[in-house]
Amino acid sequence: MPIATVNPATGETLRTFEELGADGIERRLAAAAAAFRRYRTTDLPERARLMSRAADLLEEDQEAIARTMTTEMGKPLAAARAEAAKCVKAMRWYAGHAEILLADEEPNDTEVKDSGAARARVHYRPLGAVLAVMPWNFPLWQVIRFAAPALMAGNVGLLKHASNVPQTALYLEDLFGRAGYPEGCFQTLLVGSRAVEGILRDPRVAAATLTGSEPAGRSVAAIAGDEIKKTVLELGGSDPYVVFPSADLDRAVRTAVTARVQNNGQSCIAAKRFIVHADVYDAFAERFTARMAALTVGDPMADTTDVGPLASEQGRADLEELVDDAVRLGAAVLCGGGRPAELARGWFYEPTVLAWITPEMRIHREEAFGPVATLYRVSGLDEAVELANDTPFGLSSNVWTRDPAEQDRFVRDIEAGGVFFNGMTASHPALPFGGVKRSGYGRELSGHGIREFCNVTTVWHGADPDE
């Protein structure tokens, strides 16, 4: 895939970029290794100063970088602005909390004496250069949620971004450079996917993090496993959105639309499978379908647009295949189901609701990466839990019920990295983020995220026999 900015609203190629060659990769790996030797010794107040400065610069650049993101991958401009603001928030959060999150941990005196030590502690040290293989759907946020904790922990970053968001990728390197980070602390590698293996196998790369598809995650995990290097993977999701009779149905419907079409439906944590109790199914389906059908699809730069284009022509083709397969096997199209006739240019797809989904349909098992929702009717709690878990993924989940017993059951039995009650899944710097099953492993954000790429070191001091 060429490294290029292609406007998905028009299909027009705006800029192309030359791929980094072997000599360029070597120079950047050498720079990362040299930077780590220096940067790892900086104290946390200095790291916080640098991160805060980067956050200030990003805040100043919010409008410009939002327009770049929208141009490169098609999200509505308002969503791009919100993404930039969210990154600023996370950077400031880590700047303000890293010292506490990375503080030495000391067991109590009884535990220390039982180990034969006069004193002992757990100390967190950085690992080195972390390779980040990142996707296009949240081209700023996905990077910052890795970079902010990794840099605050004393690591350095190497970014291999998606090939269709090169200008956003280059902006990120420039941002950290302008903030005053030492040369080599954060570098963008304009390379294709074939270069990843060689970079990851290089001994100067200590670990890797990947957000993306299951095949990409499997490949990176296999290479890193062969090299015995730490990885964190955040892969696909087909999150359930469960609605039970005690829910505030109006709020559940309004939130369901946002949860499905956020980022033009191209989000791993977007709600995709809507599992509704029979007692409220008809009312939910009617209101939800009406709201989905009323969404405005169009120019992502326009303030009136709710849903922009999909990021690539192939992405739209993949989504069409899933919908066509479901319809062929008996699914009912309640709204949408095709390309908007008035938008011939660009890679647009109508907000779509499908009902009567059955297990033999591909969309029952595969992630629909676009504004397509599937509706299921269930008769009770057991059936809802079983259906929610009937997926190879386990990223997050949304459950609408005000019944404490039902909530306890979902917390106990849903196979996912998160359970969000009476609201939609969202990431926040203070809360761990990640999944189970084929959605990956490891956690980003919070204290868990900053410690993922640390050497958790036991420091033990023997008792002085003369004391």
Side-chain angles (χ1 to χ4, degrees):
M1 181 178 181
I3 299 175
T5 296
V6 181
N7 187 341
T10 64
E12 179 185 3
T13 299
L14 303 177
R15 288 187 65 184
T16 58
F17 296 81
E18 186 175 348
E19 186 170 342
L20 201 62
D23 290 344
I25 293 172
E26 169 58 31
R27 286 193 299 272
R28 287 176 176 265
L29 288 173
F36 177 63
R37 287 192 293 271
R38 300 189 305 272
Y39 182 67
R40 66 187 296 273
T41 63
T42 58
D43 59 25
L44 279 161
E46 172 61 8
R47 295 177 201 167
R49 185 190 68 79
L50 291 169
M51 186 61 64
S52 296
R53 176 58 180 153
D56 292 344
L57 290 171
L58 177 53
E59 190 170 50
E60 294 172 7
D61 297 342
Q62 180 183 14
E63 184 66 20
I65 188 57
R67 289 183 173 275
T68 297
M69 287 190 284
T70 294
T71 299
E72 291 199 305
M73 58 71 56
K75 70 174 69 218
L77 183 57
R81 293 182 183 121
E83 181 174 341
K86 185 174 184 176
C87 291
V88 171
K89 178 180 179 179
M91 295 162 80
R92 288 174 176 158
W93 190 88
Y94 271 108
H97 288 80
E99 193 160 9
I100 296 171
L101 298 173
L102 296 174
D104 287 355
E105 299 174 12
E106 298 187 11
N108 64 45
D109 290 343
T110 301
E111 291 169 335
V112 169
K113 290 176 181 177
D114 185 58
S115 75
R119 64 187 187 280
R121 59 194 169 96
V122 177
H123 183 63
Y124 295 99
R125 294 186 287 169
L127 291 179
V130 180
L131 173 65
V133 182
M134 293 288 107
W136 47 261
N137 58 335
F138 292 94
L140 204 66
W141 169 243
Q142 302 280 15
V143 178
I144 291 298
R145 76 182 192 190
F146 132 75
L151 289 168
M152 286 304 302
N155 297 294
V156 300
L158 292 166
L159 171 62
K160 187 277 178 229
H161 218 324
S163 295
N164 60 332
V165 289
Q167 293 186 67
T168 305
L170 291 170
Y171 167 80
L172 284 156
E173 178 179 315
D174 179 68
L175 172 68
F176 288 111
R178 285 188 289 133
Y181 280 85
E183 184 179 358
C185 272
F186 188 93
Q187 300 177 85
T188 287
L189 309 178
L190 288 184
V191 296
S193 58
R194 288 177 296 180
V196 169
E197 179 170 358
I199 295 167
L200 184 50
R201 289 192 184 277
D202 191 285
R204 291 166 292 189
V205 174
T209 179
L210 177 142
T211 299
S213 69
E214 185 182 336
R218 186 182 291 111
S219 175
V220 164
I223 297 165
D226 190 50
E227 295 291 336
I228 317 180
K229 293 181 179 181
K230 175 71 179 288
T231 54
V232 170
L233 302 181
E234 193 264 278
L235 308 177
S238 190
D239 290 3
Y241 190 102
V242 182
V243 182
F244 263 51
S246 66
D248 179 332
L249 198 60
D250 286 336
R251 284 187 58 228
V253 169
R254 289 196 304 270
T255 306
V257 174
T258 303
R260 176 61 286 226
V261 302
Q262 60 175 310
N263 208 45
N264 303 339
Q266 301 165 120
S267 170
C268 295
I269 58 169
K272 300 183 176 78
R273 297 176 298 129
F274 295 82
I275 300 167
V276 186
H277 193 282
D279 290 352
V280 292
Y281 177 90
D282 289 340
F284 179 91
E286 181 181 358
R287 298 180 202 178
F288 178 59
T289 301
R291 284 182 173 271
M292 288 283 283
L295 293 171
T296 299
V297 181
D299 180 1
M301 290 290 185
D303 291 337
T304 56
T305 294
D306 299 308
V307 180
L310 298 188
S312 70
E313 189 172 18
Q314 184 60 53
R316 182 175 65 178
D318 292 343
L319 189 67
E320 288 174 328
E321 286 184 9
L322 287 181
V323 173
D324 291 347
D325 172 79
V327 172
R328 180 177 60 83
L329 293 173
V333 180
L334 303 188
C335 72
R339 304 178 183 185
E342 68 278 12
L343 295 168
R345 298 179 69 201
W347 302 312
F348 295 91
Y349 196 81
E350 297 170 328
T352 299
V353 179
L354 302 178
W356 304 110
I357 305 301
T358 56
E360 65 268 20
M361 298 173 186
R362 287 176 54 199
I363 204 166
H364 180 74
R365 294 281 178 185
E366 299 179 30
E367 180 179 20
F369 220 56
V372 175
T374 53
L375 274 177
Y376 297 82
R377 182 196 303 261
V378 294
S379 59
L381 191 56
D382 290 342
E383 188 180 0
V385 171
E386 181 179 3
L387 185 55
N389 290 336
D390 188 21
T391 172
F393 301 108
L395 192 52
S396 190
S397 60
N398 313 259
V399 179
W400 287 76
T401 174
R402 290 182 280 198
D403 185 315
E406 291 174 352
Q407 292 181 355
D408 289 345
R409 174 69 186 281
F410 282 108
V411 169
R412 188 190 75 182
D413 289 344
I414 275 197
E415 298 165 351
V419 185
F420 285 69
F421 289 109
N422 302 316
M424 61 179 273
T425 297
S427 53
H428 186 280
L431 299 172
F433 181 86
V436 295
K437 301 197 295 188
R438 293 191 179 181
S439 288
Y441 53 74
R443 291 296 180 266
E444 297 177 294
L445 304 176
S446 77
H448 296 277
I450 199 171
R451 292 189 286 266
E452 284 282 7
F453 295 116
C454 285
N455 175 356
V456 184
T457 308
T458 297
V459 182
W460 189 94
H461 296 268
D464 189 336
D466 296 328
E467 291 183 356

